[in-house]
CSV table of all heavy atoms in Angstrom, one decimal:
chain,number,residue,atom,x,y,z
U,403,PHE,N,-18.2,-8.2,1.5
U,403,PHE,CA,-16.9,-8.8,1.8
U,403,PHE,C,-15.8,-7.8,2.0
U,403,PHE,O,-15.0,-7.9,3.0
U,403,PHE,CB,-16.5,-9.7,0.6
U,403,PHE,CG,-17.6,-10.7,0.3
U,403,PHE,CD1,-18.5,-10.5,-0.8
U,403,PHE,CD2,-17.8,-11.9,1.0
U,403,PHE,CE1,-19.5,-11.4,-1.1
U,403,PHE,CE2,-18.8,-12.8,0.7
U,403,PHE,CZ,-19.6,-12.6,-0.3
U,404,SER,N,-15.7,-6.8,1.1
U,404,SER,CA,-14.7,-5.8,1.3
U,404,SER,C,-14.9,-5.0,2.5
U,404,SER,O,-14.0,-4.6,3.2
U,404,SER,CB,-14.6,-4.9,0.0
U,404,SER,OG,-15.8,-4.2,-0.2
U,405,ASP,N,-16.2,-4.7,2.9
U,405,ASP,CA,-16.5,-4.0,4.1
U,405,ASP,C,-16.0,-4.7,5.3
U,405,ASP,O,-15.4,-4.1,6.3
U,405,ASP,CB,-18.0,-3.8,4.2
U,405,ASP,CG,-18.5,-2.6,3.4
U,405,ASP,OD1,-17.7,-2.0,2.7
U,405,ASP,OD2,-19.7,-2.3,3.4
U,406,ALA,N,-16.2,-6.0,5.4
U,406,ALA,CA,-15.8,-6.8,6.5
U,406,ALA,C,-14.3,-6.8,6.7
U,406,ALA,O,-13.7,-6.7,7.8
U,406,ALA,CB,-16.3,-8.3,6.4
U,407,LEU,N,-13.6,-6.9,5.5
U,407,LEU,CA,-12.1,-6.8,5.6
U,407,LEU,C,-11.6,-5.5,6.0
U,407,LEU,O,-10.7,-5.4,6.9
U,407,LEU,CB,-11.6,-7.1,4.2
U,407,LEU,CG,-11.8,-8.6,3.7
U,407,LEU,CD1,-11.6,-8.7,2.2
U,407,LEU,CD2,-10.8,-9.6,4.4
U,408,SER,N,-12.2,-4.4,5.5
U,408,SER,CA,-11.8,-3.1,6.0
U,408,SER,C,-12.1,-2.9,7.4
U,408,SER,O,-11.2,-2.3,8.2
U,408,SER,CB,-12.6,-2.0,5.2
U,408,SER,OG,-12.2,-1.9,3.8
U,409,GLU,N,-13.3,-3.3,7.9
U,409,GLU,CA,-13.6,-3.1,9.4
U,409,GLU,C,-12.6,-3.8,10.3
U,409,GLU,O,-12.1,-3.2,11.2
U,409,GLU,CB,-15.0,-3.6,9.6
U,409,GLU,CG,-16.1,-2.7,9.1
U,409,GLU,CD,-17.4,-3.4,9.0
U,409,GLU,OE1,-17.5,-4.5,9.5
U,409,GLU,OE2,-18.4,-2.8,8.4
U,410,LYS,N,-12.2,-5.0,9.9
U,410,LYS,CA,-11.3,-5.8,10.7
U,410,LYS,C,-9.9,-5.2,10.6
U,410,LYS,O,-9.1,-5.1,11.6
U,410,LYS,CB,-11.3,-7.3,10.3
U,410,LYS,CG,-10.5,-8.2,11.3
U,410,LYS,CD,-11.1,-8.2,12.6
U,410,LYS,CE,-10.3,-9.1,13.6
U,410,LYS,NZ,-10.9,-9.1,14.9
U,411,SER,N,-9.5,-4.7,9.4
U,411,SER,CA,-8.2,-4.1,9.2
U,411,SER,C,-8.1,-2.9,10.1
U,411,SER,O,-7.0,-2.7,10.8
U,411,SER,CB,-8.0,-3.7,7.8
U,411,SER,OG,-6.9,-3.0,7.6
U,412,ILE,N,-9.1,-2.0,10.2
U,412,ILE,CA,-9.0,-0.8,11.0
U,412,ILE,C,-9.0,-1.2,12.5
U,412,ILE,O,-8.3,-0.5,13.3
U,412,ILE,CB,-10.1,0.1,10.6
U,412,ILE,CG1,-10.0,0.6,9.1
U,412,ILE,CG2,-10.1,1.4,11.5
U,412,ILE,CD1,-11.1,1.4,8.6
U,413,GLU,N,-9.8,-2.2,12.8
U,413,GLU,CA,-9.8,-2.6,14.2
U,413,GLU,C,-8.4,-3.0,14.7
U,413,GLU,O,-8.0,-2.6,15.8
U,413,GLU,CB,-10.8,-3.8,14.4
U,413,GLU,CG,-10.8,-4.3,15.8
U,413,GLU,CD,-11.6,-5.6,15.9
U,413,GLU,OE1,-12.6,-5.8,15.1
U,413,GLU,OE2,-11.3,-6.4,16.8
U,414,LEU,N,-7.7,-3.8,13.9
U,414,LEU,CA,-6.4,-4.2,14.3
U,414,LEU,C,-5.4,-3.1,14.3
U,414,LEU,O,-4.5,-3.0,15.1
U,414,LEU,CB,-5.9,-5.3,13.3
U,414,LEU,CG,-6.6,-6.7,13.3
U,414,LEU,CD1,-6.1,-7.6,12.2
U,414,LEU,CD2,-6.4,-7.3,14.7
U,415,LEU,N,-5.6,-2.2,13.3
U,415,LEU,CA,-4.6,-1.0,13.2
U,415,LEU,C,-4.8,-0.1,14.4
U,415,LEU,O,-3.8,0.4,14.9
U,415,LEU,CB,-5.0,-0.3,11.9
U,415,LEU,CG,-4.1,0.9,11.6
U,415,LEU,CD1,-3.7,1.0,10.1
U,415,LEU,CD2,-4.7,2.2,12.0
U,416,ILE,N,-6.0,0.2,14.8
U,416,ILE,CA,-6.2,1.1,15.9
U,416,ILE,C,-5.5,0.5,17.2
U,416,ILE,O,-5.0,1.2,18.0
U,416,ILE,CB,-7.7,1.3,16.2
U,416,ILE,CG1,-8.3,2.1,15.0
U,416,ILE,CG2,-7.9,2.0,17.5
U,416,ILE,CD1,-7.8,3.5,14.8
U,417,LYS,N,-5.6,-0.8,17.3
U,417,LYS,CA,-4.9,-1.5,18.5
U,417,LYS,C,-3.4,-1.5,18.4
U,417,LYS,O,-2.8,-1.5,19.5
U,417,LYS,CB,-5.4,-2.9,18.6
U,417,LYS,CG,-6.9,-3.1,19.0
U,417,LYS,CD,-7.2,-4.6,19.0
U,417,LYS,CE,-8.7,-4.8,19.3
U,417,LYS,NZ,-9.1,-6.3,19.2
U,418,SER,N,-2.9,-1.4,17.2
U,418,SER,CA,-1.4,-1.8,17.1
U,418,SER,C,-0.5,-0.7,16.5
U,418,SER,O,0.7,-0.8,16.8
U,418,SER,CB,-1.3,-3.1,16.3
U,418,SER,OG,-1.8,-2.9,15.0
U,419,LEU,N,-1.0,0.2,15.7
U,419,LEU,CA,-0.1,1.0,14.9
U,419,LEU,C,0.8,1.9,15.8
U,419,LEU,O,2.0,1.9,15.8
U,419,LEU,CB,-0.8,1.9,13.9
U,419,LEU,CG,0.1,2.9,13.1
U,419,LEU,CD1,1.2,2.2,12.5
U,419,LEU,CD2,-0.8,3.6,12.1
U,420,VAL,N,0.1,2.7,16.7
U,420,VAL,CA,0.9,3.6,17.6
U,420,VAL,C,1.8,2.8,18.5
U,420,VAL,O,3.0,3.2,18.8
U,420,VAL,CB,0.0,4.5,18.4
U,420,VAL,CG1,0.8,5.3,19.4
U,420,VAL,CG2,-0.8,5.4,17.4
U,421,LYS,N,1.4,1.6,18.9
U,421,LYS,CA,2.2,0.8,19.8
U,421,LYS,C,3.5,0.3,19.0
U,421,LYS,O,4.6,0.3,19.5
U,421,LYS,CB,1.5,-0.4,20.3
U,421,LYS,CG,2.2,-1.2,21.4
U,421,LYS,CD,1.4,-2.1,22.2
U,421,LYS,CE,2.2,-2.7,23.3
U,421,LYS,NZ,1.3,-3.6,24.1
U,422,CYS,N,3.3,-0.1,17.7
U,422,CYS,CA,4.4,-0.4,16.9
U,422,CYS,C,5.4,0.8,16.8
U,422,CYS,O,6.6,0.5,16.7
U,422,CYS,CB,3.9,-0.8,15.4
U,422,CYS,SG,3.2,-2.4,15.3
U,423,TYR,N,4.8,2.0,16.6
U,423,TYR,CA,5.7,3.2,16.5
U,423,TYR,C,6.5,3.4,17.8
U,423,TYR,O,7.7,3.6,17.8
U,423,TYR,CB,4.8,4.4,16.3
U,423,TYR,CG,5.6,5.7,16.2
U,423,TYR,CD1,6.2,6.0,15.0
U,423,TYR,CD2,5.7,6.5,17.3
U,423,TYR,CE1,6.9,7.2,14.9
U,423,TYR,CE2,6.4,7.7,17.2
U,423,TYR,CZ,7.0,8.1,16.0
U,423,TYR,OH,7.7,9.2,15.9
U,424,GLU,N,5.8,3.2,19.0
U,424,GLU,CA,6.4,3.5,20.2
U,424,GLU,C,7.3,2.3,20.7
U,424,GLU,O,8.3,2.5,21.4
U,424,GLU,CB,5.4,3.8,21.3
U,424,GLU,CG,4.6,5.1,21.0
U,424,GLU,CD,3.5,5.3,21.9
U,424,GLU,OE1,3.1,4.4,22.6
U,424,GLU,OE2,3.0,6.5,22.0
U,425,GLU,N,6.9,1.1,20.4
U,425,GLU,CA,7.6,-0.1,20.9
U,425,GLU,C,7.8,-1.1,19.7
U,425,GLU,O,7.1,-2.0,19.5
U,425,GLU,CB,6.8,-0.8,22.0
U,425,GLU,CG,6.4,0.0,23.2
U,425,GLU,CD,5.5,-0.7,24.2
U,425,GLU,OE1,5.6,-1.9,24.3
U,425,GLU,OE2,4.7,0.0,24.8
U,426,GLY,N,8.8,-0.7,18.9
U,426,GLY,CA,9.0,-1.4,17.7
U,426,GLY,C,9.3,-2.9,17.8
U,426,GLY,O,9.1,-3.7,16.8
U,427,ASN,N,9.7,-3.4,19.0
U,427,ASN,CA,10.0,-4.8,19.1
U,427,ASN,C,8.9,-5.6,19.6
U,427,ASN,O,9.0,-6.8,19.9
U,427,ASN,CB,11.2,-4.9,20.1
U,427,ASN,CG,12.5,-4.5,19.5
U,427,ASN,OD1,12.7,-4.7,18.3
U,427,ASN,ND2,13.4,-3.9,20.3
U,428,ASP,N,7.7,-5.0,19.8
U,428,ASP,CA,6.5,-5.7,20.2
U,428,ASP,C,6.0,-6.6,19.1
U,428,ASP,O,5.4,-6.2,18.2
U,428,ASP,CB,5.4,-4.7,20.7
U,428,ASP,CG,4.3,-5.4,21.4
U,428,ASP,OD1,3.5,-6.1,20.6
U,428,ASP,OD2,4.2,-5.3,22.6
U,429,LEU,N,6.3,-7.9,19.2
U,429,LEU,CA,6.0,-8.9,18.1
U,429,LEU,C,4.4,-9.0,17.9
U,429,LEU,O,4.0,-9.1,16.7
U,429,LEU,CB,6.6,-10.2,18.4
U,429,LEU,CG,6.7,-11.2,17.3
U,429,LEU,CD1,7.6,-10.7,16.2
U,429,LEU,CD2,7.2,-12.6,17.7
U,430,ASP,N,3.7,-9.0,18.9
U,430,ASP,CA,2.2,-9.1,18.8
U,430,ASP,C,1.6,-7.9,18.0
U,430,ASP,O,0.8,-8.1,17.1
U,430,ASP,CB,1.5,-9.2,20.1
U,430,ASP,CG,1.8,-10.5,20.8
U,430,ASP,OD1,2.2,-11.5,20.1
U,430,ASP,OD2,1.6,-10.6,22.1
U,431,SER,N,2.1,-6.7,18.3
U,431,SER,CA,1.6,-5.5,17.6
U,431,SER,C,2.1,-5.6,16.1
U,431,SER,O,1.3,-5.2,15.2
U,431,SER,CB,2.1,-4.2,18.3
U,431,SER,OG,1.5,-4.1,19.5
U,432,ARG,N,3.3,-6.0,15.9
U,432,ARG,CA,3.8,-6.1,14.5
U,432,ARG,C,3.0,-7.1,13.7
U,432,ARG,O,2.7,-6.9,12.5
U,432,ARG,CB,5.3,-6.5,14.5
U,432,ARG,CG,6.2,-5.4,15.0
U,432,ARG,CD,6.4,-4.2,14.1
U,432,ARG,NE,7.4,-3.3,14.5
U,432,ARG,CZ,7.7,-2.2,13.8
U,432,ARG,NH1,7.0,-1.8,12.7
U,432,ARG,NH2,8.7,-1.4,14.2
U,433,MET,N,2.6,-8.2,14.4
U,433,MET,CA,1.8,-9.2,13.7
U,433,MET,C,0.4,-8.6,13.3
U,433,MET,O,-0.1,-8.8,12.2
U,433,MET,CB,1.6,-10.4,14.6
U,433,MET,CG,0.9,-11.6,13.9
U,433,MET,SD,1.9,-12.4,12.7
U,433,MET,CE,1.2,-11.8,11.1
U,434,MET,N,-0.2,-7.9,14.3
U,434,MET,CA,-1.5,-7.3,14.0
U,434,MET,C,-1.4,-6.3,12.8
U,434,MET,O,-2.3,-6.3,12.0
U,434,MET,CB,-2.0,-6.6,15.2
U,434,MET,CG,-2.7,-7.5,16.2
U,434,MET,SD,-3.6,-6.6,17.5
U,434,MET,CE,-2.4,-6.3,18.7
U,435,MET,N,-0.3,-5.5,12.8
U,435,MET,CA,-0.2,-4.6,11.7
U,435,MET,C,0.1,-5.3,10.3
U,435,MET,O,-0.5,-4.8,9.3
U,435,MET,CB,1.0,-3.6,11.9
U,435,MET,CG,0.6,-2.4,12.7
U,435,MET,SD,-0.9,-1.5,12.0
U,435,MET,CE,-0.3,-1.1,10.3
U,436,GLN,N,0.8,-6.4,10.3
U,436,GLN,CA,1.0,-7.1,9.1
U,436,GLN,C,-0.4,-7.6,8.6
U,436,GLN,O,-0.7,-7.6,7.4
U,436,GLN,CB,1.9,-8.3,9.2
U,436,GLN,CG,3.4,-7.9,9.0
U,436,GLN,CD,4.2,-9.1,8.6
U,436,GLN,OE1,4.1,-10.2,9.2
U,436,GLN,NE2,5.1,-8.9,7.6
U,437,GLU,N,-1.1,-8.2,9.5
U,437,GLU,CA,-2.4,-8.8,9.1
U,437,GLU,C,-3.4,-7.6,8.7
U,437,GLU,O,-4.2,-7.8,7.8
U,437,GLU,CB,-3.0,-9.6,10.3
U,437,GLU,CG,-2.2,-10.9,10.5
U,437,GLU,CD,-2.6,-11.7,11.6
U,437,GLU,OE1,-3.3,-11.2,12.6
U,437,GLU,OE2,-2.3,-12.9,11.7
Side-chain angles (χ1 to χ4, degrees):
F403 305 100
S404 62
D405 281 1
L407 292 163
S408 287
E409 288 164 5
K410 189 63 179 180
S411 172
I412 297 171
E413 177 190 331
L414 293 173
L415 181 141
I416 294 298
K417 291 178 181 177
S418 61
L419 177 54
V420 175
K421 190 164 186 180
C422 283
Y423 179 84
E424 294 174 344
E425 303 174 32
N427 288 324
D428 187 288
L429 196 63
D430 289 340
S431 295
R432 289 291 190 182
M433 186 71 259
M434 278 193 274
M435 270 310 303
Q436 272 205 318
E437 291 176 338

